[in-house]
Amino acid sequence: MIQALAFYLFAIVVIVSGAMTISSRNPVHSVMWLILAFFNAAGLMVIVGAEFIAMLLVIVYVGAVAVLFLFVVMMLDIEVASIRAGVARYAAIGLALAVALAAEMMIALGAWSAGKIDLTRRIAPVDATVPNIQAMGNLLYTRYLFVFEGAGLVLLVAMIGAIVLTHRDRSGARYQNIARQNARRPQDATRNVKPEIGQGVQL
Amino acid sequence: MSYAANLAMTLPELVLGLGAIALMLVAAWGGQQSTRAVSIASVFVLAGACVALAGPASSGGAAFDGLYRADAFAAFAKVLIYVASAVAIIMAPDFFRRTAGDDLKPEYPVLILLSACGMGIMVSAADLLTLYVGLELQSLAAYVLASFMRRDTRSAEAGLKYFVLGALASGILLYGISLVYGFTGTTLFDGIAGAYAATPMSGEAKSLGLLFGLVFIFAGLAFKLAAVPFHMWTPDVYQGAPTPVTAFFASAPKVAAIGLATRVAIEAMGSATDQWRQIVIFAALASIVLGAVAAIGQSNVKRLLAYSSINNVGFALVGLACGTPEGVSGVLTYMVIYIVMTLGSFLVVLQMRDETGEPVESIASLSGLSRTRPGLAAALAIFMFSLAGIPPLFGFWAKFAVFDAAVKAGLFPLAAVGIAASVIGAYYYLRIVKTMYFDDPAPAFPRSENKVEGGLIALSAVFVSPLGYLLIPALGVWTTAAAKALF
């Protein structure tokens, strides 16, 4: 009972916030609605027992991707009116994509109910009593430890590469020197003058 | 098996990985001044990794539940990879110092170390996951290295092209991997071999999924090997990348990719030999012919060497197409000799510079080199004759080894066409020799004060000269032992 209630709650909020994401006038609001959609999708994942995916959704999508979106949206000066103007122009393409997507879903559903291709020589049988985070951790840190560490090295290379290719020392830049600022005394920096009328000041 | 035993088998990768991380910290704090120290230390780390191969890393067998294989084949390929990587580090400082614009940064040797680590993982991979992670580690470092000269637009272009096309190749490979995994239910090479052996590959009951997976995996690997028809990126990337990086691309990653392809072909898909042989034969012949024909019109020496590398990969694939122990040992022999010839040629290219010290790359600037720099001209002539496979030189033995294996495996048409096409290839190698010896002298290249590079050129010239034949008995024993590890 409670599961059904929770499911309908999460599902309705996902659909509503999804609709609001594409229809809200302010792009910042769109991103906020998107975050709400992610959270509720995570709730749905918890209900089906995929708590690892739920955590991924919250940590990766909400924590990183959506925040990045928010930054980008806030940096860009987006004119909603000009985007709206394009809707009519691209309606046909959008509709075609939607039809293709719907058709694919039908085909997938049909194939699924017709039976599956034989893909079932699993090396890691799923044990229903083990939570999937624990099952995944067991594999990642024992059997696949070497590959896992290798993937870590790949990320390290990506980081080094990004820094090597973009970082440069700006020799002409003027950095703030706080010590010098603090050491500066009023009598060195300012001077009291009383200019004659019409004479101006000597700088 | 305990963790210690597993780790002992992966010792070379541990040495390289930890060494690279430690040197990266040195580079981060030491900045530009630490370049020299980091470079020297990197060469020692590579030497350390070679030493680490002596123990269980070359004879231990399967590590990490079969994900990684430490055998003689992997060890042989790793020695080649580490030596080529070390040479790429050694030849860099002089080039970057002379070239206006970007200085050598300490990240260069660090990235080469990480790339070498990835290549080690590639040749030891006994699982599709390990294969992919190793390949990505190698490729990602290579993309950065290709665009290392940030102020040079051609270098940036090379990096971008390499990155986009390399990502496409990874996508193709991953698609193949996903098909194979889906239809066999395992990513382990042993399991895949079992599934391929159990499924008929032709006739009514053939598994299209397995066949498509095989085709996509070989297409992805051919991309990394730069074999025709997946070679288009090679000339642009080789021309645009800084010369030491080009030398690196033409040597170590080729060994790693061909080692990987050999292991996948023999260990994972050995029972589908008839299926992948068609692909390999086509790639081999197309590479040999296109590499030879397209090189004729080139005027840039780096572009020419790029086509030469395509051509040579074709010859190495002839050995793989046999699918026999002799074929694999022929491939390894070919790679040893090819690496020395290629690194030697690139070391000579590094000496090509005008009076201001800027590098020149046109073949015309080599005119009359025999009169201005006779030693250099003789060395380049030896490399060119050897690449052309002309008998008294060691390059002939490389071609002989693969064609001998092809004939023994009964692939007569492949051997015949390959030998005929190698004659076309000889034309452009000999054209360089003719330019150096019979044309009017162009302005002389200034003499290099770098003793190490001169020494390396002399060493590789001696190796590919007829004196190299003295190594044949030892080389034969090693390559046979390495090839036997796969069967």
Side-chain angles (χ1 to χ4, degrees), chain B residues 158-177:
Chain B
L160 189 65
K161 263 189 187 159
Y162 199 15
F163 176 68
V164 172
L165 293 174
L168 177 70
S170 294
I172 293 174
L173 184 72
L174 274 180
Y175 187 49
I177 288 176

Side-chain angles (χ1 to χ4, degrees), chain B residues 18-32:
Chain B
L18 295 177
I21 291 172
L23 289 175
M24 187 192 69
L25 292 178
V26 173
W29 265 283
Q32 196 69 42

Side-chain angles (χ1 to χ4, degrees), chain B residues 102 334 458 465:
Chain B
D102 292 278
Y334 198 93
S465 73

Side-chain angles (χ1 to χ4, degrees), chain A residues 119 121 141 143 164-165 167, chain B residues 3 24 67 107 150 182 185:
Chain A
L119 302 177
R121 223 177 299 164
Y141 295 108
R143 188 185 169 95
V164 166
L165 294 182
H167 176 79
Chain B
Y3 266 132
M24 187 192 69
L67 288 176
E107 284 84 2
R150 289 189 317 193

Side-chain angles (χ1 to χ4, degrees), chain B residues 452-476:
Chain B
V452 181
E453 282 180 9
L456 282 174
I457 293 175
L459 199 67
S460 27
V462 169
F463 183 87
V464 297
S465 73
L467 286 178
Y469 282 80
L470 297 174
L471 290 173
I472 287 176
L475 202 59

Side-chain angles (χ1 to χ4, degrees), chain B residues 1 202 223 342 377:
Chain B
M1 197 186 293
S202 52
F223 219 110
T342 304

Side-chain angles (χ1 to χ4, degrees), chain A residues 36-114:
Chain A
L36 185 62
F38 282 151
F39 262 115
N40 286 281
L44 286 177
M45 289 298 165
V46 171
I47 292 177
V48 296
E51 68 270 17
F52 183 71
I53 297 182
M55 276 170 57
L56 273 191
L57 267 174
V58 173
I59 296 170
V60 177
Y61 282 87
V62 178
V65 176
V67 171
L68 199 71
F69 275 179
L70 206 54
F71 272 125
V72 172
V73 165
M74 285 156 86
M75 301 259 185
L76 296 178
D77 183 24
I78 300 174
E79 260 190 80
V80 182
S82 63
I83 297 174
R84 284 286 144 83
V87 169
R89 235 177 95 202
Y90 296 113
I93 299 174
L95 213 63
L97 283 178
V99 168
L101 211 63
E104 278 183 344
M105 279 161 112
M106 297 292 225
I107 293 170
L109 209 65
W112 185 58
S113 51

